[in-house]
Amino acid sequence: MFVSPFLQYGIQEKKEPVAETCQLAVHRLEWLLSADKLAADESTAKNPYCSVDPAPPAVRKSVPELRQALLNESLPLFERYRAMFALRNLGSEEAVLALAAGLQCSGALFRHEIAYVLGQMQHPAAVSNLCAALERSSENPMVRHEAAEALGAIGKEECLAVLERYRQDGERVVKESCEVALDMLEYENSDQFQYADGLVRLQG
């Protein structure tokens, strides 16, 4: 299989998140080229978020099995990502809590993606774990950034206080993410959003 020299260079990059991102990209390309086209299309169709994910969801596994794979740091990152997106697509509270446990894993890129998918799910069961990630001053800024935006996407009142507290954070990306999240939260709780959301529901 031809691999772009840019991806080959990225895999050798000394910065871990860059190298891991390139590894995921290569594995996804390999999967797309080797997978049956119908299976690939079905995998995409089952994604309720219509996002282009760095790995296809794992299939035919229970939440406990997916959780075990997600947290198993001896597995290839691509397989753990497959478990991650399968849990996200399930959307249950049990799946949310399994994903939230991943915020304790090593690897900033992995924790960052966990925070991102929890924001996609917008499930209130994730709030306490996302708050904890944002509040950890030792956490990688890109993880704290995603945790802040996820809290804004969830839009519950309990998200407001922690976002207000960190909107003046010394880390610029965290500070700006909290400001964006507060704007998101304000909009999602506005009369304008409630009206538009009601129209969408009626049309659906």
Side-chain angles (χ1 to χ4, degrees), residues 48-60:
Y49 302 95
C50 301
S51 54
V52 178
D53 301 321
V59 294
R60 295 186 296 276

Side-chain angles (χ1 to χ4, degrees), residues 24 49 53-59 61 63 65-71 75-91 95-96 98-100 102-103 105-118 120-121:
L24 286 166
Y49 302 95
D53 301 321
V59 294
K61 289 187 177 180
V63 170
E65 288 173 322
L66 291 168
R67 185 183 191 279
Q68 184 177 25
L70 181 84
L71 304 179
L75 286 178
L77 194 59
F78 187 72
E79 295 305 317
R80 297 174 68 204
Y81 267 57
R82 294 197 67 179
M84 181 192 305
F85 291 112
L87 286 165
R88 180 202 63 186
N89 292 354
L90 288 173
V96 169
L99 283 165
L103 289 169
C105 289
S106 64
L109 181 71
F110 184 80
R111 296 194 302 277
H112 151 276
E113 196 74 32
I114 290 284
Y116 174 75
V117 300
L118 289 172
Q120 284 186 305
M121 296 173 82

Side-chain angles (χ1 to χ4, degrees), residues 28-43:
R28 185 174 188 277
L29 286 170
E30 290 174 341
W31 179 82
L32 285 171
L33 292 172
S34 65
D36 178 82
K37 185 64 169 65
L38 179 60
D41 289 345
E42 286 178 351
S43 173

Side-chain angles (χ1 to χ4, degrees), residues 7 12 15 22 33 43 57 67 74 76-77 82 104 125 129 131 160 170 178 185 193:
L7 287 177
Q12 298 166 13
K15 294 181 180 178
C22 290
L33 292 172
S43 173
R67 185 183 191 279
S74 67
L77 194 59
R82 294 197 67 179
Q104 303 298 322
N129 289 283
C131 285
L160 180 63
C178 288
L185 198 154
F193 177 81

